[in-house]
Amino acid sequence: MSRLDKKSLLPRLCIFSAVSFILYKLYEQRDKDGRHIKQVSSDSLRTEEANEFEIKEDEDKENEKIWKSDTNMLAFQSDHFRGIRVIASRIPKNKKEWEQKLSYSLREWTLKKFRGVWIKLPVALVSYLEYGLKQGMAIHHATKEYVMLYKWLPHDEKDMVPEYCHSYLGVGALIINEKRQCVVIQEKWDFGRANYWKTPGGAVDRCESISHAAVREAKVKWKMCLLFVVCFLEETGIECEFISILGFRQMMPYRFGNTADIWFLCLLRPVDNTPLEFKKDEHEIAQIKWMDLNEFMNLECTKSIFQHYNFEKAVAKEVDWLLKHWNDCFDQQPKNLDNSLKIVKNTNIGFRCLPLEDRSTEHKQKRYFFQPNTQL
Amino acid sequence: MSRLDKKSLLPRLCIFSAVSFILYKLYEQRDKDGRHIKQVSSDSLRTEEANEFEIKEDEDKENEKIWKSDTNMLAFQSDHFRGIRVIASRIPKNKKEWEQKLSYSLREWTLKKFRGVWIKLPVALVSYLEYGLKQGMAIHHATKEYVMLYKWLPHDEKDMVPEYCHSYLGVGALIINEKRQCVVIQEKWDFGRANYWKTPGGAVDRCESISHAAVREAKVKWKMCLLFVVCFLEETGIECEFISILGFRQMMPYRFGNTADIWFLCLLRPVDNTPLEFKKDEHEIAQIKWMDLNEFMNLECTKSIFQHYNFEKAVAKEVDWLLKHWNDCFDQQPKNLDNSLKIVKNTNIGFRCLPLEDRSTEHKQKRYFFQPNTQL
């Protein structure tokens, strides 16, 4: 670094900052594009196949007559299972009108033997909540954008509506090269503890596959570090490929004392096999380097993290096997995730990921199946 | 059934109903017992190890001085990471007082460089929400019981608080006996479709392990059916033992269009090896029987469900192996889940489940590690 003058360093930093910002925005946007808001009836929520029967907001013309027939009611759509979904965009802006229509509608729906009612209340209308609860509705879940109210109408049947999600997903990325080294980082956030070396990782994003999350987290962590460390070595972004899930642990209670967390330990390797030598940076923000796998596994901090996952017994054995059979397992020119998924068919460690065909193009669902690589 | 008179049938139905009700209530209570409500600061939410630093409601005497020092403020506790948690039980019952104290407290906390604020608002105080949002707070998540408000205080740092959970967990139970038969059921709820044979299964409960969920769902489905079918055959509850996870699939978008679902296909066997012959019941509510595994896998409905999971290629191969090596794999007298977990060390199919030691007895966490059974 001392050999670089400010004039050559600044433009590089600017370019990296801009690229990182754009990449971040792309990640952020990804989930918002081209998705229909879908709702399922309380009834159809009962089975895992429920989403087959989802109806799209404002698209179900078949039921249009129902909610136009009575102007005293809240605008709604019904589904084949006698569930009601109030159309969020047509909720009255006047609070008095909301109260009148809600109580009238609930009476009518009950008389007409509808079963479950869903109302997605935008946060701007949060003052409407109180009356909803007075009318016997309950809060199902909420986000920054909305509060979901629901009511189970049949008096003679137990409310079968399942709770909202209560599991977090996370990934750890064990990135290994041919020299039997792994990528280790020290996080910026040390929470007052002594900082320690760990594998990159983080949370699985909303509607993201586990394998993609591992690849993304590996890349993002590297990119983050690029700003502070690797740009000085004139390295650019590094792509990893997903090999397999080495194992996963489920832990509870987790955040808020009433959730659980599943953490998937993923095996990755850099697409570019050229070994990278990281300059050991003393900056307090972040550190990154290659570390001999044996050394990493023998660190006290690693042991204290991984002993719970039987890391040494399970993972080391798998990684040993992988390193011995490297040439058999991998094509020398894998370029993307799909390729690598095909390539690792030859390995027998961990769980492979197979992207599956959409059940229906209409629903645009993504499905991934993880299966053991055991060769029986 | 026609041979049973009403007098002998009624008492049996009553006993089974009572037993089922008690069992259900026991399940329902399970998660409520002996749990402390825990909160984590917004800051400590950043890493998967965050829960190491949780503080217990009303138990952190160390910080008592802070919230007693200023009676104009909301009662709160702080943590080592400069996070604030307002004590729910001490939120003013008077709305005006709430508003005054909230705005004053937020100002003070910002001045004192605190970072994140959490307020768990009971639904009874839902009318307080509006003012909270006006003060720049946001809804993080909500349940039937409470709405969680939060605010990220530092103006010069990006809000790093992660979203609430967005993944559902489910299990399917493939229960296999020595005769190469599996348990199949038809659900009570057919949603207007033609009913079809499927394996028992359902949602993983809050803070429940995947393996226990599979065993529980297998048992509950059978118990449910006992009311309608098996009681006529004078069968009692049947215990299954968990063998392994054969694979799992991740699917998105799922419920509400913005969540994902992970479905774990679990291999189970009845603890009692005596083959049960179910009477094929014509009742519209539920059916249960043993079906030859080949027959089940060749049903059109099974194919349409399992083709997405490569069932035939992956699972059938594993099950074949299991049946061939049955005697090598299992002790003949396994009695409970822990035993079976030890016993299946000899199998090499699917993912084993290893219950792990708690990291700290203080947190009473449960951890399970799933690892491939591959014998390298």
PDB file of all heavy atoms in Angstrom, chain A residues 243-247 267 318 347-352 371-374, chain B residues 351 372 374 376:
ATOM      1  N   ILE A 243     -20.832 -26.627  -3.751  1.00  0.00           N
ATOM      2  CA  ILE A 243     -20.563 -28.049  -3.943  1.00  0.00           C
ATOM      3  C   ILE A 243     -21.632 -28.885  -3.232  1.00  0.00           C
ATOM      4  O   ILE A 243     -22.338 -29.652  -3.852  1.00  0.00           O
ATOM      5  CB  ILE A 243     -19.156 -28.437  -3.441  1.00  0.00           C
ATOM      6  CG1 ILE A 243     -18.106 -27.656  -4.257  1.00  0.00           C
ATOM      7  CG2 ILE A 243     -18.920 -29.934  -3.580  1.00  0.00           C
ATOM      8  CD1 ILE A 243     -16.692 -27.803  -3.770  1.00  0.00           C
ATOM      9  N   SER A 244     -21.747 -28.705  -1.926  1.00  0.00           N
ATOM     10  CA  SER A 244     -22.755 -29.486  -1.199  1.00  0.00           C
ATOM     11  C   SER A 244     -22.979 -28.906   0.190  1.00  0.00           C
ATOM     12  O   SER A 244     -22.219 -28.062   0.643  1.00  0.00           O
ATOM     13  CB  SER A 244     -22.312 -30.954  -1.072  1.00  0.00           C
ATOM     14  OG  SER A 244     -21.121 -31.026  -0.320  1.00  0.00           O
ATOM     15  N   ILE A 245     -24.058 -29.357   0.809  1.00  0.00           N
ATOM     16  CA  ILE A 245     -24.289 -29.035   2.221  1.00  0.00           C
ATOM     17  C   ILE A 245     -23.629 -30.144   3.030  1.00  0.00           C
ATOM     18  O   ILE A 245     -23.910 -31.322   2.829  1.00  0.00           O
ATOM     19  CB  ILE A 245     -25.800 -28.978   2.530  1.00  0.00           C
ATOM     20  CG1 ILE A 245     -26.442 -27.787   1.815  1.00  0.00           C
ATOM     21  CG2 ILE A 245     -26.028 -28.874   4.036  1.00  0.00           C
ATOM     22  CD1 ILE A 245     -27.950 -27.736   1.946  1.00  0.00           C
ATOM     23  N   LEU A 246     -22.721 -29.777   3.915  1.00  0.00           N
ATOM     24  CA  LEU A 246     -21.996 -30.791   4.689  1.00  0.00           C
ATOM     25  C   LEU A 246     -22.846 -31.283   5.857  1.00  0.00           C
ATOM     26  O   LEU A 246     -22.647 -32.381   6.365  1.00  0.00           O
ATOM     27  CB  LEU A 246     -20.682 -30.218   5.210  1.00  0.00           C
ATOM     28  CG  LEU A 246     -19.648 -29.880   4.123  1.00  0.00           C
ATOM     29  CD1 LEU A 246     -18.476 -29.134   4.718  1.00  0.00           C
ATOM     30  CD2 LEU A 246     -19.186 -31.135   3.409  1.00  0.00           C
ATOM     31  N   GLY A 247     -23.766 -30.475   6.271  1.00  0.00           N
ATOM     32  CA  GLY A 247     -24.640 -30.825   7.380  1.00  0.00           C
ATOM     33  C   GLY A 247     -25.393 -29.586   7.795  1.00  0.00           C
ATOM     34  O   GLY A 247     -25.118 -28.497   7.296  1.00  0.00           O
ATOM     35  N   LEU A 267     -20.241 -26.378   1.552  1.00  0.00           N
ATOM     36  CA  LEU A 267     -18.898 -26.500   1.002  1.00  0.00           C
ATOM     37  C   LEU A 267     -18.857 -25.763  -0.340  1.00  0.00           C
ATOM     38  O   LEU A 267     -19.704 -25.996  -1.202  1.00  0.00           O
ATOM     39  CB  LEU A 267     -18.567 -27.984   0.813  1.00  0.00           C
ATOM     40  CG  LEU A 267     -17.165 -28.341   0.335  1.00  0.00           C
ATOM     41  CD1 LEU A 267     -16.123 -27.895   1.358  1.00  0.00           C
ATOM     42  CD2 LEU A 267     -17.054 -29.853   0.119  1.00  0.00           C
ATOM     43  N   GLU A 318     -15.080 -35.577   5.333  1.00  0.00           N
ATOM     44  CA  GLU A 318     -15.620 -35.314   4.004  1.00  0.00           C
ATOM     45  C   GLU A 318     -14.656 -34.475   3.173  1.00  0.00           C
ATOM     46  O   GLU A 318     -14.457 -34.721   1.988  1.00  0.00           O
ATOM     47  CB  GLU A 318     -16.976 -34.592   4.129  1.00  0.00           C
ATOM     48  CG  GLU A 318     -18.041 -35.493   4.726  1.00  0.00           C
ATOM     49  CD  GLU A 318     -19.338 -34.746   5.017  1.00  0.00           C
ATOM     50  OE1 GLU A 318     -19.282 -33.582   5.454  1.00  0.00           O
ATOM     51  OE2 GLU A 318     -20.390 -35.336   4.800  1.00  0.00           O
ATOM     52  N   THR A 347     -19.153 -36.545  -6.885  1.00  0.00           N
ATOM     53  CA  THR A 347     -18.676 -36.605  -5.507  1.00  0.00           C
ATOM     54  C   THR A 347     -19.686 -37.385  -4.693  1.00  0.00           C
ATOM     55  O   THR A 347     -20.832 -37.537  -5.078  1.00  0.00           O
ATOM     56  CB  THR A 347     -18.539 -35.201  -4.882  1.00  0.00           C
ATOM     57  OG1 THR A 347     -19.842 -34.716  -4.574  1.00  0.00           O
ATOM     58  CG2 THR A 347     -17.820 -34.260  -5.797  1.00  0.00           C
ATOM     59  N   ASN A 348     -19.259 -37.864  -3.563  1.00  0.00           N
ATOM     60  CA  ASN A 348     -20.249 -38.506  -2.693  1.00  0.00           C
ATOM     61  C   ASN A 348     -20.214 -37.928  -1.292  1.00  0.00           C
ATOM     62  O   ASN A 348     -20.392 -38.624  -0.314  1.00  0.00           O
ATOM     63  CB  ASN A 348     -20.088 -40.032  -2.681  1.00  0.00           C
ATOM     64  CG  ASN A 348     -18.837 -40.473  -1.957  1.00  0.00           C
ATOM     65  OD1 ASN A 348     -17.983 -39.639  -1.640  1.00  0.00           O
ATOM     66  ND2 ASN A 348     -18.720 -41.744  -1.686  1.00  0.00           N
ATOM     67  N   ILE A 349     -19.941 -36.634  -1.213  1.00  0.00           N
ATOM     68  CA  ILE A 349     -19.966 -36.029   0.106  1.00  0.00           C
ATOM     69  C   ILE A 349     -21.125 -35.050   0.222  1.00  0.00           C
ATOM     70  O   ILE A 349     -21.492 -34.379  -0.737  1.00  0.00           O
ATOM     71  CB  ILE A 349     -18.659 -35.284   0.440  1.00  0.00           C
ATOM     72  CG1 ILE A 349     -18.375 -34.219  -0.604  1.00  0.00           C
ATOM     73  CG2 ILE A 349     -17.497 -36.239   0.570  1.00  0.00           C
ATOM     74  CD1 ILE A 349     -17.327 -33.254  -0.164  1.00  0.00           C
ATOM     75  N   GLY A 350     -21.675 -34.983   1.395  1.00  0.00           N
ATOM     76  CA  GLY A 350     -22.720 -34.011   1.689  1.00  0.00           C
ATOM     77  C   GLY A 350     -23.996 -34.226   0.898  1.00  0.00           C
ATOM     78  O   GLY A 350     -24.251 -35.295   0.358  1.00  0.00           O
ATOM     79  N   PHE A 351     -24.799 -33.169   0.828  1.00  0.00           N
ATOM     80  CA  PHE A 351     -26.093 -33.218   0.180  1.00  0.00           C
ATOM     81  C   PHE A 351     -25.996 -32.434  -1.114  1.00  0.00           C
ATOM     82  O   PHE A 351     -25.660 -31.258  -1.093  1.00  0.00           O
ATOM     83  CB  PHE A 351     -27.166 -32.524   1.017  1.00  0.00           C
ATOM     84  CG  PHE A 351     -27.193 -32.883   2.454  1.00  0.00           C
ATOM     85  CD1 PHE A 351     -26.100 -32.685   3.266  1.00  0.00           C
ATOM     86  CD2 PHE A 351     -28.337 -33.408   3.000  1.00  0.00           C
ATOM     87  CE1 PHE A 351     -26.141 -33.006   4.608  1.00  0.00           C
ATOM     88  CE2 PHE A 351     -28.381 -33.727   4.340  1.00  0.00           C
ATOM     89  CZ  PHE A 351     -27.285 -33.530   5.147  1.00  0.00           C
ATOM     90  N   ARG A 352     -26.351 -33.078  -2.198  1.00  0.00           N
ATOM     91  CA  ARG A 352     -26.376 -32.353  -3.459  1.00  0.00           C
ATOM     92  C   ARG A 352     -27.617 -31.492  -3.550  1.00  0.00           C
ATOM     93  O   ARG A 352     -28.648 -31.801  -2.951  1.00  0.00           O
ATOM     94  CB  ARG A 352     -26.415 -33.343  -4.617  1.00  0.00           C
ATOM     95  CG  ARG A 352     -25.068 -33.830  -5.029  1.00  0.00           C
ATOM     96  CD  ARG A 352     -25.206 -34.566  -6.312  1.00  0.00           C
ATOM     97  NE  ARG A 352     -26.120 -35.705  -6.180  1.00  0.00           N
ATOM     98  CZ  ARG A 352     -26.757 -36.241  -7.197  1.00  0.00           C
ATOM     99  NH1 ARG A 352     -26.616 -35.719  -8.405  1.00  0.00           N
ATOM    100  NH2 ARG A 352     -27.537 -37.283  -7.030  1.00  0.00           N
ATOM    101  N   GLN A 371     -30.359 -33.904  -1.665  1.00  0.00           N
ATOM    102  CA  GLN A 371     -30.342 -35.324  -1.348  1.00  0.00           C
ATOM    103  C   GLN A 371     -28.920 -35.774  -1.065  1.00  0.00           C
ATOM    104  O   GLN A 371     -27.959 -35.215  -1.576  1.00  0.00           O
ATOM    105  CB  GLN A 371     -30.974 -36.126  -2.475  1.00  0.00           C
ATOM    106  CG  GLN A 371     -30.126 -36.193  -3.734  1.00  0.00           C
ATOM    107  CD  GLN A 371     -30.808 -36.997  -4.820  1.00  0.00           C
ATOM    108  OE1 GLN A 371     -31.994 -36.829  -5.072  1.00  0.00           O
ATOM    109  NE2 GLN A 371     -30.070 -37.872  -5.450  1.00  0.00           N
ATOM    110  N   PRO A 372     -28.797 -36.774  -0.217  1.00  0.00           N
ATOM    111  CA  PRO A 372     -27.452 -37.242   0.143  1.00  0.00           C
ATOM    112  C   PRO A 372     -26.756 -37.797  -1.091  1.00  0.00           C
ATOM    113  O   PRO A 372     -27.398 -38.353  -1.977  1.00  0.00           O
ATOM    114  CB  PRO A 372     -27.721 -38.356   1.145  1.00  0.00           C
ATOM    115  CG  PRO A 372     -29.126 -38.202   1.568  1.00  0.00           C
ATOM    116  CD  PRO A 372     -29.848 -37.565   0.429  1.00  0.00           C
ATOM    117  N   ASN A 373     -25.455 -37.652  -1.120  1.00  0.00           N
ATOM    118  CA  ASN A 373     -24.692 -38.143  -2.263  1.00  0.00           C
ATOM    119  C   ASN A 373     -24.260 -39.595  -2.112  1.00  0.00           C
ATOM    120  O   ASN A 373     -23.538 -40.108  -2.949  1.00  0.00           O
ATOM    121  CB  ASN A 373     -23.448 -37.276  -2.446  1.00  0.00           C
ATOM    122  CG  ASN A 373     -23.816 -35.916  -2.993  1.00  0.00           C
ATOM    123  OD1 ASN A 373     -24.774 -35.792  -3.748  1.00  0.00           O
ATOM    124  ND2 ASN A 373     -23.078 -34.899  -2.604  1.00  0.00           N
ATOM    125  N   THR A 374     -24.723 -40.196  -1.042  1.00  0.00           N
ATOM    126  CA  THR A 374     -24.351 -41.588  -0.766  1.00  0.00           C
ATOM    127  C   THR A 374     -24.460 -42.456  -2.017  1.00  0.00           C
ATOM    128  O   THR A 374     -25.483 -42.459  -2.679  1.00  0.00           O
ATOM    129  CB  THR A 374     -25.305 -42.177   0.299  1.00  0.00           C
ATOM    130  OG1 THR A 374     -25.469 -41.217   1.317  1.00  0.00           O
ATOM    131  CG2 THR A 374     -24.756 -43.462   0.856  1.00  0.00           C
TER     132      THR A 374
ATOM    133  N   PHE B 351     -29.780 -38.581   6.321  1.00  0.00           N
ATOM    134  CA  PHE B 351     -29.060 -37.734   7.253  1.00  0.00           C
ATOM    135  C   PHE B 351     -29.402 -38.189   8.662  1.00  0.00           C
ATOM    136  O   PHE B 351     -30.574 -38.194   9.032  1.00  0.00           O
ATOM    137  CB  PHE B 351     -29.514 -36.282   7.157  1.00  0.00           C
ATOM    138  CG  PHE B 351     -29.626 -35.739   5.774  1.00  0.00           C
ATOM    139  CD1 PHE B 351     -30.462 -36.306   4.835  1.00  0.00           C
ATOM    140  CD2 PHE B 351     -28.895 -34.628   5.419  1.00  0.00           C
ATOM    141  CE1 PHE B 351     -30.569 -35.779   3.573  1.00  0.00           C
ATOM    142  CE2 PHE B 351     -29.000 -34.100   4.159  1.00  0.00           C
ATOM    143  CZ  PHE B 351     -29.840 -34.673   3.236  1.00  0.00           C
ATOM    144  N   PRO B 372     -24.806 -36.337   6.899  1.00  0.00           N
ATOM    145  CA  PRO B 372     -24.991 -37.478   6.002  1.00  0.00           C
ATOM    146  C   PRO B 372     -24.400 -38.734   6.623  1.00  0.00           C
ATOM    147  O   PRO B 372     -23.406 -38.662   7.342  1.00  0.00           O
ATOM    148  CB  PRO B 372     -24.207 -37.085   4.754  1.00  0.00           C
ATOM    149  CG  PRO B 372     -23.929 -35.639   4.884  1.00  0.00           C
ATOM    150  CD  PRO B 372     -23.905 -35.338   6.341  1.00  0.00           C
ATOM    151  N   THR B 374     -23.049 -41.045   4.985  1.00  0.00           N
ATOM    152  CA  THR B 374     -22.047 -41.564   4.069  1.00  0.00           C
ATOM    153  C   THR B 374     -20.863 -42.171   4.817  1.00  0.00           C
ATOM    154  O   THR B 374     -20.289 -41.536   5.683  1.00  0.00           O
ATOM    155  CB  THR B 374     -21.490 -40.430   3.186  1.00  0.00           C
ATOM    156  OG1 THR B 374     -22.585 -39.641   2.760  1.00  0.00           O
ATOM    157  CG2 THR B 374     -20.741 -40.982   2.009  1.00  0.00           C
ATOM    158  N   LEU B 376     -17.325 -42.954   4.279  1.00  0.00           N
ATOM    159  CA  LEU B 376     -16.274 -42.681   3.287  1.00  0.00           C
ATOM    160  C   LEU B 376     -15.114 -43.659   3.446  1.00  0.00           C
ATOM    161  O   LEU B 376     -14.876 -44.164   4.518  1.00  0.00           O
ATOM    162  CB  LEU B 376     -15.788 -41.249   3.465  1.00  0.00           C
ATOM    163  CG  LEU B 376     -16.848 -40.181   3.215  1.00  0.00           C
ATOM    164  CD1 LEU B 376     -16.343 -38.825   3.659  1.00  0.00           C
ATOM    165  CD2 LEU B 376     -17.230 -40.138   1.752  1.00  0.00           C
TER     166      LEU B 376
END
